[in-house]
Amino acid sequence: MDNDSFGEGGFGDGGSFGNGAARPPRDAVTPAAKAAPAHARTVKVVSGDFLLTVNPVDGSEIEPCPPGEQPARPVRRTAAERVERQRAALPPVPPGPASPRLPLLERGEERERLVRLLGQGRSVRLTGPAGSGRSTLLDAVAEDCADLAPDGVIRLNGHHRTPGELLQELFTIVFSAPGHRPDRNALAGFVRDIGAVVVLDDLEFGGAALDELLDAAPECAFLLATTPDVPAPSADSPLEEVFLGGLGRATALELLSHIVERPLTEDESNWAGDLWFESEGLPLRFVQAGGLLRQGDELRGDPEAVDEFAAFDAAQGRDVPLPTLGEGAAPAPLLASRLSESARQTLRIAVALGGEVPHQAHLPALVGDTHADAALGELMGCGLLSPVGTRYRLAAGVLAQLREKGYDKDSVAHAHTAAQHYAWWSGHPSVTPERAMAESDAVLAALGALVSGGRDAGHAGAAVRLARAAAPVFAAGLHWTAWEKALRAGSEAARIAGEVAEDAYFHHELGVLALCTGNLERARAELEASIGMRGALADKRGTVAGRRALALVEDRASGLTPKPEAPTIRTETPAQPVSPLSGLTATTSQLPRTGPEDEPVTPATATAPPSRRGLALLGARRNVVAAGAGALLAVVLGTVVTLGAASDKEEAPADNVKNGQQTDGDDFTEDWETPQDPADDGSQKPDDKGATKSPTSSAVPGTSTAPDAPAAPGETPSSTPSQPGSPSETAQAPRPTPTRSTPNPPSTPPKPSPTETAPTGTPSPSDTETSSSPGGETSASGPSAPESSSAPVM
């Protein structure tokens, strides 16, 4: 990024500066407020086994990653690539003359111990108060350990970072995987193979979270720098503890002399001795004290400088007194009062953003001064800023000191200005996700300031626009934590502003993010809320996107893992059309068998639960079977009633009346049959009509010839003897065939049953069992007509 990345005079106050002079434009650049809206940029990234299409308009779409979209396996970067990436991750060098590099004083013993422990492969926790010079010591140790590990030295910053984020950054530095964020398991596999010296500054967690970080990279030696207020490691942690205190009095005075680049006077030495006692020898206090002394030297050397700074009276002239001890202990207000107006305005913006200092390329647009980027050098020279990762923050204690002096006045207005600028900048087509990620902390700080401090609709609307512009860029940059924070701040701002459509978008994105991280319950809740809002707004495209994501959540929750390949076409045979009478056999034969192979499938055995594959089809088949069975029952009962009524007026026909009877579990056919006469030796003669007739089938007065009906399951049909005292007759059902012809008679006569060999006059068990026809008369032709409850039930 350079200073020309922003339109000159195109933001904020239209190009005016603190001194009221109009800034001459360097190029003919269209103002940002009047620029044509850029087309929405959709970016495809792979998260685990999901393909995420970041859509800033309707909401991101997520689906199982198709085979053609699978990313290549991450490859390890070369040493030169790692060095270049680490160099690009350093804070920008402030413009202007370079400040002299201060020597590392009184830290030789700690430096040698740290290098020795890291060389042995052991991890170390360096603990020291804020301002004790931990970052400077880490820089020196990193130089000494450059050749200790195969993957070199990796610099990370733990400010507002979780263990998962740090592991992801560690993976990104060592491996090249553009557009790919591996899931938790895959990430653990890659990080486990990294062998490097990891120098981690500003660590903010301990305990179990720290153990998780150390266990994830067993081949790495960690050098962790933290403050005493951070939770300690667990009791069984393998970390070595090294404590870092303040400098000695002589060393502190030597450091002060290096900063002012001259020997100290006696008064200055006495003043520095009192400051050493009050600050416990913290190096940061002496860097800031050196800034005060240098400002005093500049004022004494330039008489006109007295009129430039309002903190001094013109009568003082070149006689600039030493700061008081209180001013030396809290030097930020006095240091700021002697800086330029652009530097003081930069401090106000930093206070409004919670201590975050925007990149120097953003300062001209935010401050309204073409050369405001030079303010960064002023602030660094007097010790008001500290490097944090790729950016700068207010040094320890500076934020509280400036707030006491009123630098937080109009903080919400400054945050609003920053939000407007970042909303335009984040949505600009030239801004890459990497550049947006470097500015993520300032963007999130602006969002938080507007949501917490500005409850009016104007500030909330600015926060909504910033979140809508920045969240998709954070998602494309694979920074899940920044993406989530932007979405939650945007959702809160949308509720304040009453923008339901924007709130629905943020809920949808939160659901997609929860699905990417494996939090299915959170994903379901967020997506359902978004679908409800978009349904009320008649947003069809957004609703469709939400329902697709919700369907994927349900699949994952039920244990199903949808595959991206083409769906399998089922080739099951559909159910054949059935008629009320003859279609019953064809339908029931398709039901799945649940017993042995030789067991017939009857309505009783066909009730076993079907397999999951045929569940939907089986339900339709059962409906068809039930309809066919009901139609058959109605026809049979109608026939029985009709024939029973006719038997009261005329003789029974000589021919037998056939009736449908179930004879096999696999097939149901219709057939009319009559009982055999035992005296006929099992031989039967078909008549000219093809039906079998018994010699004793003549009608008996007072009896009827009602047709036979199938007996209830488990019952044996019996017949009433035609003459008193004659043996009972058992109906012998021949093997049915699909035709009406009777099969050939058996080659050997059947053996008589026990009821057939009973002596004459002796009642058999079947003598007392007679069946009544629907007309109330006893039937002599076969088993009784069934009641409605004894009909076959499918």
Side-chain angles (χ1 to χ4, degrees):
M1 295 175 59
D2 52 20
N3 297 341
D4 296 334
S5 299
F6 309 97
E8 305 295 340
F11 199 88
D13 56 3
S16 61
F17 300 93
N19 55 10
R23 177 177 57 191
R26 299 176 182 174
D27 302 304
V29 180
T30 304
K34 300 180 181 179
H39 295 288
R41 295 177 295 173
T42 59
V43 180
K44 290 186 177 182
V45 297
V46 177
S47 174
D49 57 349
F50 290 118
L51 175 62
L52 178 65
T53 303
V54 181
N55 184 356
V57 180
D58 301 318
S60 299
E61 300 178 3
I62 186 171
E63 60 180 333
C65 189
E69 300 288 344
Q70 292 287 350
R73 181 175 177 82
V75 296
R76 193 179 295 269
R77 301 182 190 272
T78 63
E81 291 175 342
R82 291 195 307 269
V83 172
E84 179 62 23
R85 188 174 183 86
Q86 291 280 73
R87 187 195 64 78
L90 294 175
V93 178
S99 300
R101 185 175 180 179
L102 299 179
L104 184 63
L105 302 177
E106 205 177 296
R107 300 301 188 194
E109 182 180 353
E110 291 86 352
R111 180 177 181 176
E112 293 178 0
R113 182 183 179 188
L114 292 176
V115 173
R116 183 176 64 255
L117 292 174
L118 293 174
Q120 297 172 357
R122 306 174 69 175
S123 297
V124 188
R125 184 174 184 258
L126 178 64
T127 304
S132 59
R134 292 176 287 110
S135 300
T136 305
L137 179 59
L138 292 183
D139 294 339
V141 174
E143 293 179 359
D144 297 339
C145 299
D147 300 328
L148 289 182
D151 292 322
V153 177
I154 298 177
R155 299 293 302 268
L156 299 176
N157 192 271
H159 182 69
H160 294 170
R161 296 294 188 268
T162 62
E165 291 179 85
L166 293 175
L167 292 176
Q168 181 67 34
E169 293 181 12
L170 182 61
F171 164 79
T172 304
I173 293 175
V174 178
F175 291 93
S176 175
H180 180 207
R181 182 186 175 96
D183 57 12
R184 187 182 185 89
N185 294 332
L187 179 64
F190 288 116
V191 173
R192 192 179 297 111
D193 297 334
I194 297 177
V197 175
V198 181
V199 179
L200 177 57
D201 199 3
D202 298 319
L203 182 68
E204 295 183 349
F205 55 83
L210 182 56
D211 293 339
E212 177 186 352
L213 176 65
L214 299 178
D215 295 340
E219 301 298 326
C220 293
F222 286 86
L223 175 55
L224 311 173
T226 184
T227 55
D229 57 339
V230 174
S234 57
D236 56 348
S237 176
L239 285 174
E240 294 284 342
E241 289 284 351
V242 175
F243 295 93
L244 191 64
L247 301 175
R249 186 178 187 276
T251 306
L253 296 180
E254 182 182 355
L255 176 62
L256 185 60
S257 177
H258 277 288
I259 294 174
V260 297
E261 299 179 345
R262 61 174 178 82
L264 299 178
T265 63
E266 183 178 357
D267 293 340
E268 292 173 342
S269 299
N270 295 334
W271 174 78
D274 296 339
L275 180 63
W276 173 85
F277 182 81
E278 190 276 336
S279 64
E280 298 181 353
L282 293 180
L284 177 62
R285 292 289 184 268
F286 286 90
V287 172
Q288 296 171 346
L292 291 175
L293 295 181
R294 288 199 312 181
Q295 287 180 344
D297 292 343
E298 293 175 358
L299 292 174
R300 296 186 187 96
D302 187 1
E304 297 181 357
V306 179
D307 298 331
E308 179 181 354
F309 299 101
F312 294 91
D313 187 79
Q316 290 179 323
R318 298 182 181 181
D319 186 13
V320 180
L322 286 173
T324 63
L325 184 60
E327 293 173 339
L334 181 57
L335 287 170
S337 65
R338 295 174 176 179
L339 298 176
S340 63
E341 180 61 29
S342 297
R344 289 196 294 270
Q345 188 67 13
T346 301
L347 289 176
R348 294 186 181 95
I349 294 175
V351 171
L353 299 181
E356 296 292 340
V357 179
H359 191 278
Q360 59 189 18
H362 297 271
L363 294 180
L366 293 175
V367 174
D369 186 354
T370 307
H371 304 287
D373 53 345
L376 192 65
E378 295 184 55
L379 298 175
M380 280 294 298
C382 58
L384 293 180
L385 301 183
S386 296
V388 178
T390 61
R391 64 198 186 280
Y392 292 98
R393 279 182 55 87
L394 294 180
V398 173
L399 179 61
Q401 297 173 22
L402 293 179
R403 283 175 174 173
E404 291 179 358
K405 293 300 181 178
Y407 275 77
D408 58 345
K409 184 180 180 180
D410 299 330
S411 291
V412 178
H414 292 305
H416 186 97
T417 301
Q420 286 181 318
H421 167 74
Y422 281 126
W424 164 77
W425 178 77
S426 300
H428 199 277
S430 65
V431 178
T432 62
E434 292 76 15
R435 293 172 63 189
M437 292 310 306
E439 206 68 12
S440 60
D441 289 299
V443 172
L444 296 176
L447 278 172
L450 290 182
V451 172
S452 61
R455 290 289 174 176
D456 60 279
H459 295 317
V464 170
R465 289 187 292 273
L466 175 57
R468 280 299 305 264
V473 186
F474 292 160
L478 302 177
H479 195 338
W480 279 183
T481 302
W483 186 21
E484 181 179 5
K485 290 180 180 179
L487 293 174
R488 296 199 180 281
S491 178
E492 179 66 21
R495 284 194 292 270
I496 297 174
E499 301 183 16
V500 181
E502 304 297 343
D503 196 11
Y505 166 83
F506 292 126
H507 279 292
H508 173 86
E509 295 294 286
L510 286 170
V512 172
L513 173 59
L515 181 56
C516 290
T517 57
N519 193 342
L520 299 182
E521 294 300 325
R522 168 63 64 180
R524 182 183 293 107
E526 298 289 355
L527 290 173
E528 288 177 351
S530 174
I531 292 172
M533 293 179 184
R534 286 177 163 175
L537 297 173
D539 184 359
K540 295 182 179 180
R541 296 180 61 181
T543 303
V544 169
R547 292 191 183 279
R548 288 177 179 174
L550 185 59
L552 190 56
V553 172
E554 299 300 336
D555 290 341
R556 287 299 174 100
S558 60
L560 300 177
T561 305
K563 300 296 182 182
E565 51 265 12
T568 303
I569 301 178
R570 297 182 178 179
T571 57
E572 296 183 6
T573 305
Q576 300 294 333
V578 257
S579 62
L581 293 179
S582 62
L584 186 61
T585 301
T587 306
T588 56
S589 63
Q590 298 178 10
L591 296 176
R593 291 180 178 269
T594 58
E597 294 182 358
D598 58 347
E599 180 182 354
V601 180
T602 62
T605 62
T607 59
S611 63
R612 180 177 296 179
R613 178 178 177 85
L615 186 59
L617 183 59
L618 183 56
R621 291 177 178 174
R622 287 179 174 174
N623 294 337
V624 175
V625 172
L632 175 61
L633 179 61
V635 172
V636 171
L637 291 180
T639 305
V640 171
V641 172
T642 303
L643 295 179
S647 65
D648 295 338
K649 300 181 181 180
E650 56 185 5
E651 292 288 331
D655 296 334
N656 295 323
V657 179
K658 294 184 178 181
N659 184 26
Q661 184 175 358
Q662 176 182 352
T663 59
D664 190 85
D666 294 332
D667 298 295
F668 292 89
T669 59
E670 45 185 349
D671 192 12
W672 288 271
E673 58 190 24
T674 57
Q676 282 184 332
D677 188 357
D680 196 19
D681 296 333
S683 63
Q684 296 176 338
K685 298 180 180 180
D687 55 5
D688 55 352
K689 297 182 180 180
T692 59
K693 181 171 67 174
S694 174
T696 60
S697 63
S698 59
V700 179
T703 63
S704 64
T705 59
D708 297 340
E715 296 181 2
T716 303
S718 62
S719 61
T720 304
S722 60
Q723 296 292 338
S726 63
S728 62
E729 300 175 11
T730 305
Q732 301 294 333
R735 183 73 176 178
T737 59
T739 63
R740 295 178 181 269
S741 60
T742 304
N744 296 329
S747 59
T748 58
K751 294 181 181 181
S753 63
T755 58
E756 295 175 345
T757 59
T760 306
T762 303
S764 64
S766 62
D767 292 338
T768 59
E769 297 177 1
T770 59
S771 58
S772 301
S773 64
E777 298 179 353
T778 302
S779 172
S781 60
S784 60
E787 296 291 334
S788 61
S789 62
S790 63
V793 179
M794 298 303 298

